[in-house]
Amino acid sequence: MKKRYLSYLLGSALFLLSTGKLSAQQLAKPMGKTKINATTAGFSSNLPNYNPNPGQYHQPGHKCMSDALMEDYLQQTGKEQWYANEQARMNYEAQNFQGSRVAYTIPVVFHVIYSNGSENVSNALIQQLLDELNEDYQLMNSDAANARSAFGFVPANADVSFCLAMRDPQNQPLAEPGVHRVSTSVTYFDPDVNTNDMKYTSSGGTEAWNRNNYLNVWICDITNGATFGTAGYAYKPGISSIGIPSDIDGIVIDYNIGTTANSNVLTHEVGHYLGLSHTWGNSNQAAGCSDDDGLSDTPNTAGPSFDYTGSCTGNQTTCGTTQTMYENYMDYSNCTCMFTTEQVNLMTSVLANSRNSLASSIACTPVNPQPPVALIYAPLTTIGQGGVVNLYDQSTNYPTSWSWSVNPSTGVTFLNAGGNTDQDVTIQFANTGTYTVTLTATNAQGSDDDTEIINVVASGGGSTACDTLRNYNVNDPYYTLTAGTGYILGNTTVSTTGPPPVTYNITQWAEPYNASSPTEVRQLRFVPSAVNDGGGSVIFKVYQNAAGPEPGTVIQSQSVPLANLVDGFWNVVDFTTPASVTGDFWVGYEVSYANAADTFALLGNAENAPVPTNYTMMYVGSGFNTWFDVDAIYANQAGDPLGTAFIMDVLTSNGPAPTAALSISATTVCEGVPVSINASGSVNATTYIWDFYEGGNYEGYLDGVNPTFGFWQGSWDVDLLANGSCMTDVASTSFTVNPELTTTHSATSENCNASDGGITFSGTAGGDGGPYNYSINSGATSQTATAFTGLTAGTYNILVTDGSGCEYTSTQNVTRVNNFSVTASATPGTTINQGQSVTLDATAGGTSYTWFEGNVTIASSQSTSASPQVTTTYIVNAIDANGCEASDQITITVILGLDDSEIGKYVNVFPNPSNGTINLAVGFEASKNITVEILNMFGQVIETRNIQGVSSGIYQFDLSNESEGFYLMRINDGNEMFTTRISKID
């Protein structure tokens, strides 16, 4: 049964009990309820304090492990001294900064590594992370004003901006700017064991993109789904060099606690990426006051601020009287909001030196840029007066700025932080009428407009205010039952004092209230201390005031099944027919004793001086059948009357009844895809509760006029409880969450430049079951899994969708192969005599051939003729019909001829062969001038000697450093030439 009577908090300024409410960071996670520890006898302590920021990054237990990571790396690589030198250099640069302040822009790519829908974080969350980075590093964060100037803490502007990458390393456009999604079978990357596994395909992650062009941020599960633990980590660079291998350089953050709104996790880790240490030094934990970050304008602190009392609350000192700068982004606290001047100087020095290449990256420049095509998505276009609409930019071609305008503009308020210049906006309309909303989307190539019409209708007449009548104090102690059995303010018994004792059932409880003017009791709001459903009900009643005073005639009653009430939570009961009251009246309830399993008791504490009396009444049955003052029954218990009062709010109003109306952004989605619901079409409503049921089981709730959520797969019902004038109206809708869409894709390689590569999909499942739409690089879609052929080599962005909004995104690499080859041959052979010709030929298969002798083209045919005079190498280059190129070479050895002349009669060469020295003996009839040359078998002269006026003699030539083989000795006297062959052996 749906619990129509159950809702929570409804704008109350009371304390909060633990509830089943979902936070924005719990999207796609199962919703549960946490009860307070109720005892059967009552309470002896106050309700637990409310934590306004559950799950924040800087709560104790959430850590950055950058220091431990860096320490391990330096020890393993032996770079401790290198980094110590770099740290000293960085600190000097920070404290003695001489450079000019330059604005830097860092391109960012988020590698989203996911094994389920909740880890596959949304595009909107990515944009939120980037927006927060830009605010924090350009001193545009609104909380910068919280830095305590009384201690001289002045936030500094780092003047660093961040942009989402528009292209991948192969210069292909990214389907989602700045986002690279990778599905993995790894469910958890343990940061202590699998520290860098998310950075490699082989271990379930993905490789870093070129760090010279991108800041790599990996988003994955490093906490095993917990809301505490390691939120993120990064390696720190030096100034003269980065020092960290390119394949692990970058930042890792947890998909859950690392992406919490305004947690500053990424701001903190980017600080490490740009060289900053923790404010207490290079340690992940308290290091005492002997170590710090080496910067003079970050006060010394013993360790993380949240490890010590006083964090974010005023004064905090951990090192003598030195005030802790818990506002610093490089500390751990819930209130970080600033960098110091020296921290900014240090980061600027790193960007000007070791990370300077980021400044010239074109990663954020779109491929083939075009002007935007503006497009507005409006889930809701008709709302009630005072309602809000969410409008989303879905423009194409990568706009870089946005401007929203509303005509007419009177009574129009932009509720989003950036006003009318945010990409997506939330607009409230105070007046009725028809409004034209215009979006102007702009990039460097131009601008474009789109419009949407919003109709604002009247909300009805009368005030929707809801007055609260209350008899209790919030902070006083509870009381414990010391007599009788059962539950105070519930089904319990009392006994007479004298023998024999008689037991009486207390069947009703009531308290007096007063309405200063005529009004209607429409709702009761209360916290039961105990509920057990045995099939019975509780009857809530409004009574006239009778003499005594005590409850009189029942004006109105409302029966509520025990199954619809939950102990430990705020419960709200609506009267189907409100009770008209003025002056003194009573409100109470009747508990059932018909079934022994039925239990109901209300929380109570000290009275708040109700009018006209200051006591609670109880109706004692089983013989008495009359009303008694609770204090009269318990007057002498431990010498102190009970003095209790209901923890119950009586809600009264004369305003118009609310009408609930809702819209939903999609009725069928895929697991992990966010859905937006909007109650702005409701009239006469002031608060909104959304109850969720899956398969008929209540799972939890959200509040607000237009929350966004994402749930696990199943068939869901959602009830909108629109509350106004102390009344509730309900509107309902349903939606289906389909299983995550999965597919397998593979590639066939391109044959050289033939544009014949392909991508094939198989095993597609999930979503609505198909048919599925396939596309690559945001091109045309096909429902055929093998439709993508004729592709060139490169990286392609994969998108698979179904009809319900489910998406699968990934990348696929198409490689280029060359299966064409050519072989050169020669006829009559590769060795010829000097003066002989040779035919050069290449194997068939090419469409064109080119022969080269060195760099000179000698033919453009499959075969050609050549007449080398010396040993020569020829190269053939061939291209086939697919554009594939291949080459081969062949060397033609030319045996030089031996010249015969008269000189040969007068010379002798010995020893021949020789292992080193060759002797030339000459004996001419008359004196001659001769030139002696030694040539290798390639015809290259390796030694020349001119001998003048020789008639006889012996001349030595040293070949000991030459290779084994044949050589020629050529003797020339100016008239004749004689050549002889010599042989070198080893």
Side-chain angles (χ1 to χ4, degrees):
M1 178 181 294
K2 295 184 179 181
K3 301 183 179 181
R4 297 291 191 193
Y5 299 91
L6 179 65
S7 61
Y8 311 100
L9 301 181
L10 298 180
S12 172
L14 304 176
F15 47 82
L16 301 184
L17 298 178
S18 300
T19 72
K21 181 180 178 181
L22 298 181
S23 70
Q25 289 73 46
Q26 290 174 306
L27 302 182
K29 286 188 170 295
M31 296 181 290
K33 301 188 289 287
T34 302
K35 298 181 180 180
I36 60 173
N37 295 320
T39 65
T40 58
F43 293 85
S44 58
S45 62
N46 287 332
L47 294 170
N49 291 328
Y50 172 55
N51 174 11
N53 294 303
Q56 286 280 316
Y57 159 62
H58 292 306
Q59 292 297 323
H62 294 173
K63 300 292 186 181
C64 157
M65 60 175 284
S66 293
D67 289 321
L69 191 75
M70 197 70 187
E71 182 179 355
D72 288 345
Y73 171 76
L74 295 175
Q75 289 178 351
Q76 291 173 12
T77 59
K79 289 187 175 182
E80 294 98 331
Q81 189 57 51
W82 167 82
Y83 188 70
N85 295 339
E86 288 296 291
Q87 191 75 58
R89 188 198 308 266
M90 288 192 287
N91 293 342
Y92 178 83
E93 291 276 350
Q95 296 179 36
N96 300 275
F97 184 73
Q98 299 297 322
S100 57
R101 186 75 70 230
V102 177
Y104 288 93
T105 298
I106 298 178
V108 185
V109 59
F110 292 90
H111 304 286
V112 180
I113 315 298
Y114 64 96
S115 63
N116 57 54
S118 58
E119 295 171 7
N120 191 17
V121 297
S122 68
N123 223 319
L125 183 56
I126 297 292
Q127 186 64 51
Q128 172 185 292
L129 290 174
L130 190 84
D131 292 343
E132 290 174 3
L133 274 184
N134 280 311
E135 290 175 2
D136 295 346
Y137 278 84
Q138 297 175 61
L139 200 57
M140 295 189 299
N141 54 308
S142 59
D143 57 358
N146 297 337
R148 292 166 295 160
S149 57
F151 298 107
F153 299 160
V154 180
N157 182 3
D159 210 3
V160 178
S161 60
F162 301 83
C163 61
L164 293 174
M166 296 295 183
R167 58 177 70 197
D168 66 14
Q170 287 74 40
N171 285 322
Q172 297 295 319
L174 286 171
E176 296 178 84
V179 182
H180 173 219
R181 298 186 185 274
V182 176
S183 178
T184 182
S185 60
V186 178
T187 58
Y188 167 47
F189 295 93
D190 187 334
D192 296 318
V193 178
N194 316 108
T195 309
N196 290 312
D197 281 9
M198 71 289 298
K199 302 174 183 178
Y200 301 100
T201 303
S202 60
S203 50
T206 187
E207 278 69 22
W209 292 3
N210 188 338
R211 70 171 173 194
N212 293 327
N213 300 324
Y214 304 89
L215 161 55
N216 289 275
V217 179
W218 288 268
I219 301 178
C220 55
D221 186 353
I222 57 175
T223 61
N224 204 16
T227 56
F228 57 89
T230 299
Y233 49 87
Y235 290 96
K236 292 187 287 186
I239 285 185
S240 63
S241 65
I242 295 177
I244 304 300
S246 60
D247 56 341
I248 62 173
D249 190 20
I251 295 170
V252 178
I253 60 174
D254 182 65
Y255 81 97
N256 188 10
I257 60 174
T259 58
T260 303
N262 299 315
S263 66
N264 298 330
V265 172
L266 192 53
T267 298
H268 180 99
E269 299 306 334
V270 169
H272 288 315
Y273 172 82
L274 295 178
L276 298 184
S277 300
H278 290 130
T279 53
W280 58 86
N282 295 317
S283 172
N284 189 47
Q285 54 192 352
C289 297
S290 60
D291 189 16
D292 72 351
D293 62 357
L295 305 179
S296 62
D297 60 355
T298 55
N300 204 8
T301 179
S305 175
F306 70 25
D307 285 347
Y308 301 89
T309 58
S311 181
C312 294
T313 59
N315 298 343
Q316 184 186 46
T317 57
T318 61
C319 293
T321 59
T322 301
Q323 189 66 211
T324 298
M325 186 189 283
Y326 48 64
E327 297 94 331
N328 199 287
Y329 286 127
M330 302 314 294
D331 201 340
Y332 298 167
S333 77
N334 282 335
C335 53
T336 58
C337 63
M338 65 170 285
F339 290 116
T340 67
T341 297
E342 289 186 12
Q343 286 177 319
V344 168
N345 291 346
L346 191 154
M347 291 189 289
T348 300
S349 295
V350 169
L351 282 167
N353 293 279
S354 62
R355 295 204 186 276
N356 182 254
S357 62
L358 292 170
S360 57
S361 171
I362 62 170
C364 289
T365 303
V367 179
N368 299 321
Q370 300 289 328
V373 176
L375 180 62
I376 300 172
Y377 171 56
L380 189 68
T381 57
T382 299
I383 63 172
Q385 183 177 0
V388 300
V389 294
N390 291 81
L391 300 178
Y392 303 93
D393 166 59
Q394 292 192 343
S395 306
T396 58
N397 295 337
Y398 306 116
T400 56
S401 63
W402 301 265
S403 178
W404 299 79
S405 62
V406 184
N407 185 31
S409 60
T410 303
V412 173
T413 303
F414 286 86
L415 301 180
N416 48 290
N420 72 327
T421 60
D422 277 353
Q423 183 175 7
D424 304 319
V425 294
T426 300
I427 309 175
Q428 185 174 34
F429 296 84
N431 305 322
T432 61
T434 301
Y435 295 82
T436 301
V437 180
T438 301
L439 165 65
T440 301
T442 304
N443 65 18
Q445 282 65 49
S447 300
D448 189 40
D449 294 339
D450 188 31
T451 59
E452 185 65 66
I453 303 299
I454 303 298
N455 295 302
V456 182
V457 298
S459 296
S463 170
T464 58
C466 186
D467 293 328
T468 300
L469 303 180
R470 179 176 297 169
N471 287 348
Y472 61 90
N473 288 322
V474 173
N475 294 318
D476 287 334
Y478 304 104
Y479 292 87
T480 301
L481 183 65
T482 57
T485 60
Y487 303 85
I488 287 185
L489 305 182
N491 43 352
T492 187
T493 61
V494 295
S495 300
T496 58
T497 57
V502 180
T503 299
Y504 302 95
N505 292 329
I506 300 175
T507 60
Q508 296 185 64
W509 301 82
E511 284 189 3
Y513 293 84
N514 178 269
S516 59
S517 60
T519 187
E520 292 182 348
V521 175
R522 294 181 170 179
Q523 288 180 326
L524 304 178
R525 179 172 52 191
F526 52 86
V527 180
S529 62
V531 174
N532 187 65
D533 175 26
S537 300
V538 176
I539 302 175
F540 293 90
K541 299 180 178 181
V542 180
Y543 310 81
Q544 291 180 341
N545 185 49
E550 65 181 38
T553 303
V554 175
I555 303 172
Q556 193 56 261
S557 63
Q558 183 72 48
S559 179
V560 180
L562 286 168
N564 287 0
L565 299 173
V566 179
D567 53 345
F569 288 83
W570 285 105
N571 290 238
V572 174
V573 167
D574 287 70
F575 282 91
T576 304
T577 302
S580 297
V581 297
T582 184
D584 297 333
F585 65 98
W586 292 72
V587 175
Y589 49 94
E590 180 178 350
V591 295
S592 171
Y593 288 83
N595 189 324
D598 288 339
T599 300
F600 179 81
L602 205 62
L603 281 183
N605 72 351
E607 298 173 356
N608 194 28
V611 177
T613 60
N614 60 351
Y615 49 81
T616 300
M617 300 290 287
M618 58 185 183
Y619 191 84
V620 180
S622 303
F624 275 109
N625 295 323
T626 189
W627 290 95
F628 285 90
D629 181 357
V630 170
D631 286 349
I633 299 295
Y634 294 97
N636 296 314
Q637 302 292 328
D640 182 29
L642 183 63
T644 191
F646 297 164
I647 296 184
M648 174 186 282
D649 290 336
V650 177
L651 306 178
T652 67
S653 176
N654 288 317
T659 300
L662 60 81
S663 68
I664 187 168
S665 60
T667 56
T668 305
V669 297
C670 204
E671 190 172 25
V673 175
V675 178
S676 176
I677 46 179
N678 199 324
S680 289
S682 305
V683 294
N684 302 326
T686 55
T687 59
Y688 307 90
I689 299 295
W690 305 82
D691 284 338
F692 292 89
Y693 304 84
E694 197 273 319
N697 297 316
Y698 179 75
E699 298 293 350
Y701 82 103
L702 294 169
D703 61 7
V705 68
N706 59 336
T708 297
F709 60 88
F711 294 139
W712 59 97
Q713 61 180 284
S715 296
W716 290 82
D717 298 313
V718 56
D719 292 344
L720 165 64
L721 284 70
N723 299 284
S725 306
C726 301
M727 302 178 76
T728 301
D729 189 41
V730 180
S732 303
T733 189
S734 300
F735 62 95
T736 300
V737 179
N738 288 323
E740 184 179 6
L741 197 155
T742 60
T743 190
T744 300
H745 45 88
S746 59
T748 54
S749 299
E750 180 192 20
N751 186 29
C752 298
N753 297 309
S755 298
D756 59 355
I759 296 176
T760 300
F761 297 86
S762 62
T764 307
D768 61 8
Y772 301 103
N773 302 303
Y774 304 89
S775 68
I776 58 175
N777 284 355
S778 303
T781 60
S782 172
Q783 292 185 352
T784 303
T786 58
F788 300 103
T789 58
L791 304 181
T792 60
T795 300
Y796 291 84
N797 294 310
I798 300 297
L799 176 63
V800 183
T801 62
D802 68 357
S804 68
C806 294
E807 291 187 356
Y808 170 89
T809 59
S810 185
T811 59
Q812 177 65 58
N813 189 45
V814 175
T815 60
R816 178 176 287 122
V817 297
N818 184 357
N819 55 10
F820 174 57
S821 62
V822 67
T823 302
S825 62
T827 305
T830 57
T831 301
I832 62 174
N833 294 319
Q834 190 175 36
Q836 187 178 2
S837 296
V838 66
T839 299
L840 304 174
D841 195 13
T843 52
T847 58
S848 65
Y849 298 85
T850 305
W851 286 92
F852 299 90
E853 181 182 333
N855 293 325
V856 178
T857 301
I858 62 171
S860 297
S861 57
Q862 184 175 350
S863 63
T864 187
S865 178
S867 301
Q869 296 303 303
V870 295
T871 299
T872 303
T873 298
Y874 297 93
I875 300 172
V876 62
N877 188 69
I879 301 176
D880 73 357
N882 294 322
C884 297
E885 294 188 25
S887 63
D888 193 21
Q889 65 182 32
I890 189 168
T891 299
I892 306 300
T893 301
V894 178
I895 300 175
L896 301 178
L898 302 179
D899 301 314
D900 191 13
S901 68
E902 289 293 321
I903 299 175
K905 300 177 181 179
Y906 303 102
V907 301
N908 184 29
V909 177
F910 65 92
N912 190 15
S914 169
N915 61 2
T917 301
I918 293 289
N919 298 308
L920 171 63
V922 300
F924 300 118
E925 295 178 350
S927 178
K928 289 179 177 289
N929 296 326
I930 63 173
T931 299
V932 181
E933 295 176 314
I934 306 294
L935 296 83
N936 62 22
M937 291 305 294
F938 294 100
Q940 297 169 319
V941 177
I942 62 173
E943 185 176 351
T944 301
R945 189 179 303 179
N946 294 316
I947 303 173
Q948 305 292 319
V950 60
S951 59
S952 64
I954 296 176
Y955 302 91
Q956 292 183 337
F957 295 85
D958 186 6
L959 300 180
S960 60
N961 292 326
E962 301 298 332
S963 301
E964 186 176 29
F966 293 105
Y967 294 85
L968 298 178
M969 178 179 285
R970 190 160 59 196
I971 305 166
N972 189 342
D973 66 357
N975 295 314
E976 295 181 307
M977 183 182 293
F978 170 76
T979 304
T980 185
R981 184 179 296 170
I982 57 180
S983 179
K984 162 71 187 318
I985 60 175
D986 290 333

